[in-house]
Amino acid sequence: MKFSCQGERPCARVLAKAMCGIIGYVGRHRAKDILMDGLKRLEYRGYDSAGIALLEGSELRIVRAVGQLEALIRKAAPLELAGTVGIGHTRWATHGGVVEENAHPHRSSDGKIALVHNGVIENFATIREFLLSRGYCFASETDSEVLANLIAYHYGRGGGSGEKNHFGESVRRALLHVQGTYGIAVLCEDRPGELVGARNSSPLILGIGDGEHFLASDAAGFAARTRDVVFLRDGELVWASGEEFLLTNLCQERVEAQRQELDWDLTAGERGGYPHFMVKEILEQPQALENAMRGRFSADGSTAHFGGLAMTPQELRQVERIVLCACGTAHCACLVGEYLIEGLARIPVEVEYASEFRYRNAPMDRHTLVLVVSQSGETLDTLEAMREARRKGFRVLAITNGVGSSIAREADGGIYQHAGPEIGVASTKAFTSQLCLLALFALYLGRLRDLSFDEGVSIVEVLRAVPGQVREILLQGEAIRRIAERHGRCRDMLFLGRQVLFPIALEGALKLKEVSYVHAEGYAAAEMKHGPIALVTPECPSFFLACDGATLPKTISNMHEIHARGGPIIAVLSQGSAVPREIVDDPIWIPRAHGVALPILAAIPIQLFAYHMGVLRGGDVDKPRNLAKSVTVE
Ligand code: AGP
């Protein structure tokens, strides 16, 4: 799909926040199986608890369990649940602790309505007060239960009206009073063949099957059953039975559904024979890099080109400043992008945390281009930063792996990563694919300015060689596992690199923290002597990214400083490196490479190291504690 521009809908109330995975089904098949399968594919969005609600004739049955989906599957296994309409949820806690009462689906106190919700109802306290005064009561601490009751309240006011869409209308009326974000799927005990969903700032996708409809916060939830989809937009509501659906906005106006065909390789989202998604995705990087580059080099092999930028070369030549905006690992990718764009295109670049940028009111002149980077395309901080920039009239481009995601749809233009689904919570292949695309973008901008034809050709050659070089590095997986084994008991680590490898040091520390829970800090190598060196002991290893480059002699001095203090050194080195072997305890070799390729190559060992540390220390590397893949809360 091409990136497209989408204006705000007149009646959409654009608010903030959201999280979790939701799924809904109405059709002829056993909903329980479809919901469980969907939840498995959505579990990356949260795994504090999970639950399903099914309509068994006119009886509403709810099963919920704390912990990963496995717990729910075990609990539901002995139950006879044959209903063909249902909703399901996998939770990342926002309001209320991780206990069964707070797990979704939530049921209204009159028993009529069951709801799953992804988001945050900001005015839930006021609504709760109102409902308490009307005799409703609450079993949980969640904001979502308040919404279930508010829908029940409006449903009750209709006096059980027999009109066809009375249920959908009750949901609409309730939402008119809600401030906050939501992707919801709702069931009503009196309406056994109906399902209602709505969206505001939390994704919701309708799947259209043969005599059946699906709802999910990510099309992966139902893509095994249909590829025919409608991405709901903010302020839209859908009512569905098995046979038909109706899309409206909150102003009760009918909306023309824009149906799209998903073009997905479903097996890409399976773990296959691999022990974890994380290692599968690390090993998929050569392919992901090839996909990122496919069709993106000019015929003369001297530059890159992109189909969806929606900016002419003339417009891009007017750009005098670029702001790169992202969170987490994507932010580390942007820091590399800063070096590459400034180096190749000589355009000043600033890198911002999306969460800070949004509230900072940074002065930006009219020749500033904003580029956001997000694997999921749903990270709320990034989405809101992008909206803020667009509100101020800036052109915003996006690099994302999330086809049809909120960021892809709202950006003025952009570049798809085509890395395939990334399920492991720790980002790996999406990161190197972002590095690759930022290199291509820098090359393109450079060639629009002063970068010569010959320089362009040599950079294209460098980039084309990267997937093969990554394959070579991946062969060292076992050697890196042994290094991890030697350091598996450490409590702290430093990651150190300079220039274009400094962001890789930051990413190395982030990756290690995420999957192994070892405390790690990333620093520009020379900064180490201004404070962090105090941490160095024989129990605190330093992981150097000490590849060939102009600053290598300085980095060698830093390595000596740590070695002299008894700190163990793991180092990523260029083949044939001049780094004295006696100061490196554990070397990892990568091919010599140009600065545009080096960050990608150096990222592979840090990912493998973090992965093996995580496995050795017994953590759940695919679903580390407290994290979720797509962070859709502020
Ligand atoms: C990556 O390992 C992290 N789990 C996290 O930092 C992630 O990169 C961040 O939340 C941004 O996500 P996005 O790329 O989907 O926007």
Side-chain angles (χ1 to χ4, degrees):
M1 190 206 321
K2 201 166 154 355
F3 272 81
S4 66
C5 173
Q6 182 205 336
E8 275 180 15
R9 303 189 56 73
C11 119
R13 293 182 292 165
V14 180
L15 300 163
K17 300 184 182 176
M19 200 103 166
C20 313
I22 64 175
I23 176 101
Y25 176 75
V26 53
R28 298 178 300 234
H29 300 285
R30 244 165 71 109
K32 178 184 162 191
D33 304 336
I34 292 167
L35 297 177
M36 291 298 193
D37 184 58
L39 288 176
K40 262 183 221 154
R41 296 170 195 275
L42 297 177
E43 207 186 1
Y44 71 89
R45 299 179 72 90
Y47 35 83
D48 290 334
S49 62
I52 52 171
L54 294 157
L55 273 166
E56 301 280 308
S58 61
E59 191 199 350
L60 196 51
R61 293 188 63 188
I62 296 182
V63 192
R64 305 183 294 183
V66 169
Q68 296 191 1
L69 184 63
E70 239 356 90
L72 177 71
I73 294 175
R74 274 197 306 274
K75 195 167 174 182
L79 306 179
E80 273 303 317
L81 297 168
T84 62
V85 185
I87 53 179
H89 187 272
T90 174
R91 178 171 188 243
W92 189 85
T94 55
H95 284 60
V98 182
V99 292
E100 192 171 317
E101 299 80 71
N102 291 337
H104 297 225
H106 287 288
R107 191 171 191 174
S108 59
S109 64
D110 63 6
K112 291 270 179 239
I113 299 293
L115 162 142
V116 288
H117 170 220
N118 171 25
V120 176
I121 308 299
E122 291 169 353
N123 59 339
F124 84 104
T126 321
I127 300 175
R128 197 169 194 270
E129 283 304 304
F130 168 79
L131 290 168
L132 282 169
S133 73
R134 294 291 191 284
Y136 286 83
C137 48
F138 297 88
S140 78
E141 305 160 70
T142 67
D143 52 339
S144 311
E145 190 190 8
V146 169
L147 183 52
N149 277 305
L150 189 62
I151 295 170
Y153 167 76
H154 284 284
Y155 186 75
R157 287 188 82 192
S161 148
E163 80 178 84
K164 185 176 177 188
N165 200 19
H166 172 55
F167 170 33
E169 179 56 10
S170 312
V171 177
R172 186 190 75 83
R173 287 194 185 168
L175 292 177
L176 289 175
H177 299 278
V178 164
Q179 287 165 14
T181 56
Y182 50 81
I184 53 171
V186 195
L187 296 182
C188 176
E189 197 173 55
D190 298 343
R191 319 292 294 207
E194 298 177 27
L195 175 67
V196 173
R199 161 189 167 132
N200 187 47
S201 281
S202 298
L204 191 68
I205 301 144
L206 171 74
I208 304 162
D210 181 13
E212 57 188 1
H213 287 104
F214 306 82
L215 287 174
S217 39
D218 175 340
F222 57 68
R225 306 188 71 95
T226 182
R227 309 289 176 92
D228 187 2
V229 301
V230 177
F231 289 91
L232 268 72
R233 289 175 290 187
D234 284 346
E236 287 182 353
L237 185 135
V238 63
W239 169 93
S241 66
E243 298 304 325
E244 52 183 340
F245 72 89
L246 176 71
L247 192 63
T248 60
N249 60 24
L250 291 184
C251 305
Q252 231 180 343
E253 296 156 346
R254 200 178 175 135
V255 174
E256 191 64 41
Q258 286 169 19
R259 287 170 78 155
Q260 298 179 23
E261 194 66 24
L262 287 178
D263 172 21
W264 277 13
D265 171 10
L266 268 181
T267 55
E270 309 279 348
R271 189 151 52 84
Y274 295 93
H276 301 101
F277 277 109
M278 184 175 175
V279 72
K280 173 177 184 260
E281 288 156 6
I282 289 173
L283 296 173
E284 280 171 353
Q285 288 180 107
Q287 188 63 55
L289 291 161
E290 275 159 10
N291 291 349
M293 288 188 274
R294 180 165 302 117
R296 285 180 168 151
F297 290 121
S298 61
D300 66 2
S302 78
T303 187
H305 56 68
F306 305 96
L309 284 188
M311 281 181 84
T312 63
Q314 290 73 18
E315 285 171 323
L316 280 163
R317 279 185 60 88
Q318 303 299 313
V319 172
E320 288 175 3
R321 187 167 165 249
I322 296 179
V323 173
L324 299 177
C325 223
C327 304
T329 288
H331 182 266
C332 295
C334 288
L335 290 169
V336 172
E338 178 180 17
Y339 284 97
L340 299 182
I341 295 171
E342 289 189 346
L344 297 181
R346 313 296 306 144
I347 302 173
V349 174
E350 272 161 62
V351 181
E352 300 265 4
Y353 284 113
S355 52
E356 290 297 304
F357 173 76
R358 181 186 172 199
Y359 293 105
R360 209 163 71 80
N361 201 18
M364 305 204 299
D365 78 28
R366 62 197 178 92
H367 298 295
T368 303
L369 173 70
V370 177
L371 172 61
V372 299
V373 179
S374 171
Q375 186 285 129
S376 60
E378 298 293 349
T379 299
L380 193 73
D381 285 327
T382 311
L383 180 60
E384 289 296 342
M386 161 178 167
R387 285 176 174 164
E388 177 65 10
R390 292 194 75 225
R391 210 172 282 134
K392 289 180 170 163
F394 290 100
R395 182 100 65 153
V396 181
L397 301 183
I399 293 178
T400 183
N401 198 32
V403 175
S405 60
S406 304
I407 286 177
R409 284 180 297 121
E410 293 187 32
D412 294 299
I415 307 169
Y416 273 134
Q417 295 183 227
H418 301 306
E422 190 181 66
I423 310 292
V425 165
S427 186
T428 52
K429 65 174 178 176
F431 175 61
T432 48
S433 144
Q434 286 161 358
L435 296 180
C436 180
L437 288 170
L438 284 161
L440 257 65
F441 188 57
L443 166 67
Y444 178 56
L445 293 177
R447 290 285 292 124
L448 293 178
R449 291 162 189 246
D450 299 329
L451 204 67
S452 72
F453 177 85
D454 286 352
E455 285 167 315
V457 168
S458 67
I459 288 170
V460 169
E461 279 168 10
V462 164
L463 288 168
R464 281 194 206 276
V466 168
Q469 292 171 321
V470 169
R471 272 189 194 99
E472 236 178 86
I473 299 167
L474 288 170
L475 296 176
Q476 297 178 63
E478 178 50 25
I480 295 173
R481 192 193 64 76
R482 285 198 296 271
I483 296 174
E485 219 166 44
R486 282 197 282 282
H487 300 281
R489 287 172 186 275
C490 73
R491 288 181 48 195
D492 304 284
M493 266 190 83
L494 293 175
F495 283 77
L496 303 162
R498 291 193 70 154
Q499 300 290 297
V500 83
L501 295 180
F502 164 43
I504 304 303
L506 296 176
E507 171 62 5
L510 177 62
K511 212 86 300 166
L512 188 71
K513 277 183 279 206
E514 275 189 303
V515 299
S516 74
Y517 315 140
V518 170
H519 169 243
E521 305 267 359
Y523 278 96
E527 274 296 302
M528 174 273 305
K529 58 187 178 294
H530 297 287
I533 196 166
L535 294 177
V536 170
T537 65
E539 285 73 48
C540 174
S542 295
F543 195 121
F544 272 91
L545 299 154
C547 307
D548 286 4
T551 54
L552 182 61
K554 313 280 180 205
T555 306
I556 295 175
S557 303
N558 302 144
M559 295 167 92
H560 275 293
E561 287 148 15
I562 285 187
H563 181 67
R565 288 162 178 83
I569 293 181
I570 306 163
V572 175
L573 305 171
S574 303
Q575 273 148 11
S577 169
V579 174
R581 277 292 283 110
E582 62 277 13
I583 58 169
V584 180
D585 300 272
D586 294 299
I588 302 167
W589 306 99
I590 66 169
R592 287 175 173 275
H594 185 285
V596 292
L598 207 48
I600 303 176
L601 304 184
I604 311 299
I606 59 128
Q607 296 171 346
L608 284 167
F609 180 75
Y611 169 71
H612 288 299
M613 287 285 280
V615 172
L616 287 163
R617 292 171 67 97
D620 184 343
V621 294
D622 282 342
K623 295 182 207 128
R625 70 181 177 214
N626 303 338
L627 300 181
K629 181 71 182 163
S630 166
V631 182
T632 47
V633 286
E634 275 189 276

